[in-house]
């Protein structure tokens, strides 16, 4: 009897081609016979994680669940559809503030998080001065909730208050929506914990001028396909986390005519162009919202070991996993390794902060470093280092992005979809590009570089996945 | 040109390499024409002693985490010979890595990732048993067939892996699968045999090697040898992989006859397999050596008959053996479990019980915990040869030598001197060797035979004949085989 499909995947009819893990002599014996053999640089998984690893790998739901989850993430088609104040789009009430990362209380908040919350209190008119705001926040006068709990993300401190304008992104494929605030630029800015008069003045201008003009332009233009735009930017040297120069230029080009065509004073239009032209990171927030929409599409698939959020609040690093619902697995935020601005140094740095690791979650940022040779100095200065970093991420991801491609790797898709089991098995941690905030409130940005999550969050997530494996018939 | 050899001892701090790699490096260095002696080893006490015996002075502070390399050039070797040898050493120690664009690509860290790079269809896993499940399951998910060389894998994990493979139309060979041949590629321990019409399903590694070597000696080749692991035909695992292998071989155009090799399976499972075999288009011959059943050689002869091929006289290379005084015992020192079992069955049915006969399997878990298999590392069996030879109650030493890919590169190099030494001390000791190998094996079967015979051993290609010959010697029959 002969099936149409060859038995055993063609094992008995195809030229033998082998991968070998373990004892070197067995691979050598194949090489001796001129059989193509690829040796695995295998390392043992941590002993204490073995029972959970075996339970999760043995879960018959896992393979299909992961295929479904990562398939949803990669087929998402996020479009920029609107720009609206947080009070409208998220229903944010006065006195409620969103922040980056997993849940956090004022007492545990780091310097830049406190600084950003203080500035936002003043911006919303809930305090007259930053000092007054600090006292009020310490009293518990405000409600703090993670952006991620509201379908939103925010870079660095990620503080969102009701009057701030948000980019609104809609996933055409799966119907989800995601939001991200407008990018303020670099240096002394609220998201890095600065709250001086120039910070608040800029935020007020963004609310009064930038937000409404962008809204009108986007509405006039119609939905902008962000994945298509990001794919182009990757081929122009962006990785969409620490470099967004090409994507920002592409977005301005896309919206230019509609900004001009709007019924706004010419001076305001010029201000908007000048602002965006002076901010190479303007597109970052759109990339984050796109990534959030894609990652959210992959949530809630029972049995899936796909990471759907990586986020930091300046104190904790947290991840969420498709198969474990909205539960956070947290550990201490790590110190980034990077380059510092001016006279700042590592002693001035705050631990890792921001929701922007959503870009890595969806296969951009550090995972696409090989696409961005211009910023390789963050990884040791050489292009091969960036290529090696991206290649290493394929070891812990479930898929290659069908649309986002890396020219240097012959247009291979970016590594996408972090698999908890692969991280635990290999010990390879996701590589995250990041800005570095000053540890003292009010300082602002002090540098940029790379950071990794604490390994424990993946072990904890694995244990929870193992506990959720249904007991099969014995 | 210098007239005497020169010596260099180099210590590389903290440069760890596994002992098998270093054995091979040592051999490659020693084989260089300008080199008289060479050894590369970690600086353990044992190895330091060895360096000392070879006349190399190892610095006192070289410890077990340091690589020590010592080379003495041959007399008359050119002055650059030492430098050349150490350059060659660097080459031998270098891990090969693929060079792609923008720097060498780091090796993959999982079998699934490695397969994605090369399009491989089979993963050969020999990582520690308790760690193998995740790697194997992930490989199955990636669409790979899996051979698990590792032992110490819990049976429920074996069943889970085999069920997952069945759902995906794949096969798990193992755990504890030592031997397979797929599309001409020998995996694990496998002999260089000619391609041909016989497909083998093997729950026994050395059993499969014996069958393929005898077939090869009869001029008949194999299509594939699919190992299934020693526990596959147990009541719990219930022949899951054997059934998949039978179906695949039945479907294979190159396979005209299937041989199933196993230690005797559980009766219920044996029934299941025989029932499945009856439904195939391809004829199946069973080789399940047990007391009262055909031995492997007889099963191979049945297979040859089924193919209409003549049964040859199995190769043998006798040497004169001393008459064995009555009352002496047989000591069997085996590296192949099935070869041991087959020999024991023959001994049990031919000799009175409880006469001090003992047949040991050095491949048993008890001997391999934390050590390489005796087909790679002969140390323990060599020690046992000396020990049993020194025991006056021992009349006949019966040993197996298994050649092929994956096995130690020159087993006779250590075993022949050990046997010669045993014979030098004990003129009344008979030595019989069952040699499982083919002329094409990398160790060179005929070279191995010559060395073993030189050391005084009678050598047989058929393990059953070797065992019967040993039994005959104990019964005082003959001093060798008359017809050579």
């Amino acid at each position: 009897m002969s099936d149409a499909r060859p038995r055993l995947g063609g094992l008995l009819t195809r030229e033998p081609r082998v991968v070998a893990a373990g004892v070197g002599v067995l691979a050598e014996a194949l090489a001796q016979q001129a059989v193509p053999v690829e040796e695995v640089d295998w390392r043992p998984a941590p002993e204490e994680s073995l029972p959970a690893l075996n339970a999760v790998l043995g879960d018959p739901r896992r393979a299909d669940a992961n295929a479904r989850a990562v398939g949803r993430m990669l087929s998402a088609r996020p479009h920029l559809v609107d720009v609206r104040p947080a009070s409208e789009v998220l229903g944010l009430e006065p006195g409620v503030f969103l922040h980056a990362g997993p849940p956090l209380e004022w007492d545990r908040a780091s310097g830049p998080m406190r600084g950003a919350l203080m500035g936002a209190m003043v911006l919303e008119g809930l305090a007259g001065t930053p000092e007054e705001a600090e006292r009020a926040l310490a009293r518990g006068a405000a409600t703090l909730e993670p952006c991620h709990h509201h379908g939103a993300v925010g870079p660095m401190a990620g503080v969102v208050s009701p009057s701030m304008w948000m980019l609104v992104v809609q996933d055409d494929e799966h119907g989800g929506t995601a939001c991200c605030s407008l990018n303020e630029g670099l240096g002394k800015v609220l998201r890095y914990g600065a709250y001086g008069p120039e910070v608040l003045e800029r935020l007020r201008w963004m609310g009064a001028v930038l937000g409404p003009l962008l809204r009108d332009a986007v509405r006039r233009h119609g939905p902008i396909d962000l994945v298509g735009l990001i794919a182009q930017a990757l081929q122009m040297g962006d990785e969409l986390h620490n470099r967004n120069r090409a994507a920002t230029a592409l977005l301005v080009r896309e919206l230019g005519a509609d900004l001009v065509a709007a019924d706004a004073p010419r001076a305001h239009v010029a201000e908007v162009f000048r602002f965006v032209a002076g901010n190479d990171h303007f597109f970052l927030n759109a990339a984050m919202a796109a990534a959030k929409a894609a990652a959210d599409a992959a949530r809630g698939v029972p049995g899936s070991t796909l990471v759907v959020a990586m986020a930091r609040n300046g104190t904790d690093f947290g991840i969420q996993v498709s198969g474990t619902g909205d539960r956070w697995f947290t550990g201490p935020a790590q110190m980034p390794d990077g380059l510092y601005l001016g006279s700042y140094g590592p002693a001035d740095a705050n631990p890792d902060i921001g929701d922007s690791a959503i870009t890595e979650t969806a296969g951009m940022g550090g995972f696409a470093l090989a696409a961005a040779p211009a910023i390789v100095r963050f990884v040791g200065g050489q292009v091969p280092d960036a290529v090696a970093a991206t290649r290493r991420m394929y070891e812990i991801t479930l898929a290659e992005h069908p649309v986002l491609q890396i020219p240097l790797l012959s247009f291979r898709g970016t590594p996408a979809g972090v698999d908890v089991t692969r991280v635990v098995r290999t010990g390879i941690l996701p590589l995250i590009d990041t800005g570095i905030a000053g540890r003292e409130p009010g300082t602002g940005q002090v540098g940029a570089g790379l950071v990794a999550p604490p390994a424990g969050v993946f072990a904890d997530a694995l244990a929870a996945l193992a506990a959720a494996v249904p007991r099969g018939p014995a | 040109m210098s007239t005497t050899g020169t010596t260099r001892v180099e210590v590389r701090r903290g440069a760890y390499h596994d002992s098998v790699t270093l054995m091979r490096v040592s051999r490659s260095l020693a084989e260089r024409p300008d080199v008289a002696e060479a050894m590369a080893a970690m600086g353990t006490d044992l190895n330091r002693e060895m360096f000392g015996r070879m006349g190399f002075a190892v610095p006192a502070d070289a410890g077990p985490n340091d690589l020590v390399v010592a080379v003495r050039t041959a007399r008359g070797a050119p002055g650059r010979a030492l430098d050349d040898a150490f350059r060659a050493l660097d080459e031998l120690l270098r891990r090969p890595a693929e060079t792609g664009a923008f720097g060498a690509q780091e090796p993959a860290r999982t079998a699934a990732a490695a397969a994605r790079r090369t399009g491989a269809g089979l993963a050969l896993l020999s990582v520690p048993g308790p760690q193998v499940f995740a790697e194997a399951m992930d490989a199955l998910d990636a669409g790979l067939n899996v051979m698990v060389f590792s032992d110490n894998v819990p049976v429920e994990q074996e069943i889970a892996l085999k069920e997952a493979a069945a759902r995906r139309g794949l096969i798990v060979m193992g755990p504890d699968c030592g031997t397979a041949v797929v599309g001409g590629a020998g995996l694990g321990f496998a002999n260089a045999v000619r391609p041909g019409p016989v497909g083998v399903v093997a729950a026994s590694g050395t059993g499969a090697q014996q069958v393929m070597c005898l077939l090869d000696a009869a001029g008949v080749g194999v299509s594939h040898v699919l190992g299934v692991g020693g526990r596959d035909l147990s009541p719990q695992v219930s022949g899951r992989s054997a059934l998949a292998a039978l179906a695949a071989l039945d479907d294979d155009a190159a396979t005209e006859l299937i041989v199933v090799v196993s230690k005797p399976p559980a009766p219920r499972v044996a029934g299941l397999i025989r029932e499945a075999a009856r439904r195939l288009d391809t004829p199946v011959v069973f080789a399940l050596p047990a007391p009262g059943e055909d031995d492997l050689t007889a099963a191979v002869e049945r297979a040859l008959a089924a193919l209409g091929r003549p049964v040859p006289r199995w190769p043998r290379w006798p040497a004169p053996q001393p008459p064995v005084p009555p009352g002496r015992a047989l000591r069997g020192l085996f590296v192949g479990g099935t070869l041991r079992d087959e020999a024991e069955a023959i001994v049990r049915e031919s000799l009175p019980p409880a006469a001090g006969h003992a047949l040991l399997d050095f491949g048993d878990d008890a001997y391999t915990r934390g050590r390489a298999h005796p087909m790679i590392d002969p140390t323990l069996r060599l020690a046992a040869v000396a020990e049993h030879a020194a025991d006056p109650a021992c009349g006949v030493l019966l040993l197996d030598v298994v050649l092929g890919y994956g096995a130690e590169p020159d087993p006779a190099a250590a075993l022949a001197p050990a046997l010669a030494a045993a014979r030098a001390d004990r003129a009344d000791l008979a030595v019989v060797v069952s040699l499982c190998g083919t002329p094409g094996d990398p160790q060179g079967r005929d070279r191995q035979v010559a060395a073993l015979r030189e050391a005084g051993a009678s050598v047989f290609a058929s393990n059953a004949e070797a065992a019967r010959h040993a039994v005959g010697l104990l019964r005082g029959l003959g001093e060798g085989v008359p017809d050579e």
Side-chain angles (χ1 to χ4, degrees), chain B residues 196-216:
Chain B
V198 180
V200 180
V201 177
S204 144
T206 47
Q209 287 189 274
Q210 172 82 131
V211 166
M212 68 173 111
C213 288
L214 291 179
L215 285 170
D216 193 75

Side-chain angles (χ1 to χ4, degrees), chain A residues 138-153:
Chain A
R139 278 199 314 272
T143 304
L144 308 183
E145 289 178 10
C147 290
H148 268 291
H149 292 189
H150 293 264
V153 278

Side-chain angles (χ1 to χ4, degrees), chain A residues 1 23 41 62 394-395 426, chain B residues 108-109 116 126 141 186 251:
Chain A
M1 297 288 284
V23 184
D41 181 15
R62 179 184 45 84
Y394 289 108
E395 299 290 323
T426 63
Chain B
R109 297 280 288 275
R116 198 157 48 174
S126 53
D141 283 346
D251 230 25

Side-chain angles (χ1 to χ4, degrees), chain A residues 1-3 5-30 32-33 35 38-47 50 53-55 57-60 62-63 383-385 387-389 391-392 394-400 408-409 412 419 422 425-428, chain B residues 20-21 24 95-96 98 100-128 130-131 133-135 137-138 141 144-145 149 157 167-171 173 182-189 224 226 244-245 247-252 281 376 405-406 442:
Chain A
M1 297 288 284
S2 223
D3 299 330
R5 212 159 48 118
R7 280 188 191 270
L8 311 184
L11 180 70
L12 304 187
T13 47
R14 285 167 48 189
E15 281 294 307
R17 198 174 273 276
V18 182
V19 295
V23 184
V25 277
L26 299 182
E28 284 166 34
L30 285 162
Q32 205 180 355
Q33 301 170 68
V35 174
E38 178 85 1
E39 264 197 88
V40 178
D41 181 15
W42 185 86
R43 326 218 175 148
E47 195 83 30
L50 269 186
L53 201 51
N54 289 338
L57 265 300
D59 183 349
R62 179 184 45 84
V383 172
D385 299 321
V387 172
R391 281 181 169 156
R392 205 173 300 127
Y394 289 108
E395 299 290 323
I396 57 169
T397 46
L398 289 165
E400 299 179 7
L408 277 190
L409 297 180
R412 187 174 181 187
D419 175 1
R422 282 182 165 81
R425 278 166 67 202
T426 63
I428 297 174
Chain B
V20 178
T21 299
R24 293 190 164 225
R95 269 197 89 105
E98 184 208 333
F102 305 104
Q105 186 162 6
E106 293 170 10
R109 297 280 288 275
T110 64
R116 198 157 48 174
R117 293 184 188 184
T118 64
L122 175 64
L124 170 52
L125 306 180
S126 53
V127 304
Q131 294 263 357
F133 179 77
E135 202 63 34
M137 194 57 102
D138 187 35
D141 283 346
L144 297 171
N145 294 285
F149 185 87
Q157 291 184 359
R167 281 196 296 274
R168 292 161 177 75
L170 301 170
I171 190 169
M173 298 190 273
V182 174
L187 298 149
F189 299 126
H224 309 279
L226 300 180
L249 289 171
D250 189 40
D251 230 25
D252 176 45
D281 296 331
I376 297 175
Y405 298 110

